[in-house]
Amino acid sequence: MNNILIEDGLSQEILSSDEFKKKISIAKLNLEDYNVRLNTSYDLTYKDVGEEKWKFTLDDSDNHRDEIAGDVNFFILWNTEKIDKVYFEIFYQNIKNYEYNELTFYNSPHVKKDEAYHNKVTLFKRKYTNYSPLGFLTDDEIELVKSEISRRFLINLP
């Protein structure tokens, strides 16, 4: 649990670089947080996904877009482009599009709020209550993210 595996093929120069160490640090911090919040035991693999591009993938799969792997890859890009404040809005939009909108389907009075809905709400709250990406934001940015998640999403859930 919380392991970061590195596929063969990276040069010693890259492996010892500060940039690579920062990527691993961001991945490790966010993977640990994710696994604790959601009671999971995922590992990530840093691997070549083609065209000499390396990404974190979930466990040893080729999937580098879903779940925690997609988040970690986004956070690393966000860290690289930190000066561009648009990443905050992209982050909130991703939460809305990929997780929150599924919950808002149930807001209709004509849709029965069943056990599946309540389980999804519980998981969403577990993941996002007092949440911020770890390892690259300033203290003020962390507080901003926590506040915005609460204001935009959590306050509207039962």
Side-chain angles (χ1 to χ4, degrees):
M1 179 166 120
N2 298 324
N3 292 313
I4 305 289
L5 310 166
I6 302 168
E7 190 178 74
D8 292 337
L10 285 176
S11 70
Q12 191 57 40
E13 181 181 342
I14 291 173
L15 290 170
S16 61
S17 72
D18 289 340
E19 179 184 345
F20 181 75
K21 289 175 186 174
K22 183 67 175 178
K23 286 179 183 180
I24 296 299
S25 174
I26 290 169
K28 184 85 170 155
L29 287 169
N30 286 284
L31 176 62
E32 285 176 6
D33 185 57
Y34 184 90
N35 280 334
V36 167
R37 285 175 180 276
L38 298 181
N39 195 28
T40 55
S41 58
Y42 292 124
D43 295 327
L44 293 176
T45 302
Y46 192 64
K47 66 187 291 183
D48 186 347
V49 294
E51 298 178 16
E52 298 183 26
K53 292 182 181 178
W54 288 73
K55 300 267 184 194
F56 287 95
T57 63
L58 189 56
D59 296 320
D60 195 24
S61 71
D62 288 330
N63 192 347
H64 58 89
R65 291 190 176 101
D66 289 338
E67 301 277 342
I68 184 62
D71 288 347
V72 166
N73 289 316
F74 178 76
F75 298 157
I76 288 168
L77 180 61
W78 187 352
N79 178 59
T80 304
E81 303 289 333
K82 228 170 143 180
I83 203 158
D84 190 346
K85 298 297 182 186
V86 74
Y87 280 88
F88 287 92
E89 203 53 48
I90 293 169
F91 177 65
Y92 306 132
Q93 197 62 45
N94 285 345
I95 293 171
K96 181 180 179 196
N97 291 344
Y98 299 113
E99 295 177 82
Y100 186 73
N101 279 347
E102 184 177 1
L103 300 176
T104 59
F105 164 77
Y106 288 89
N107 282 344
S108 166
H110 306 292
V111 176
K112 183 179 178 190
K113 290 161 184 63
D114 58 8
E115 186 178 342
Y117 168 74
H118 293 293
N119 289 340
K120 289 176 188 205
V121 168
T122 299
L123 282 174
F124 187 88
K125 285 180 175 180
R126 232 190 275 157
K127 182 175 181 182
Y128 289 112
T129 297
N130 202 31
Y131 175 77
S132 177
L134 302 173
F136 63 98
L137 298 174
T138 66
D139 290 344
D140 288 342
E141 290 169 334
I142 288 169
E143 291 308 311
L144 171 71
V145 168
K146 289 178 180 181
S147 170
E148 280 298 302
I149 288 173
S150 180
R151 184 183 69 78
R152 292 182 187 211
F153 307 111
L154 296 173
I155 201 163
N156 297 317
L157 292 176

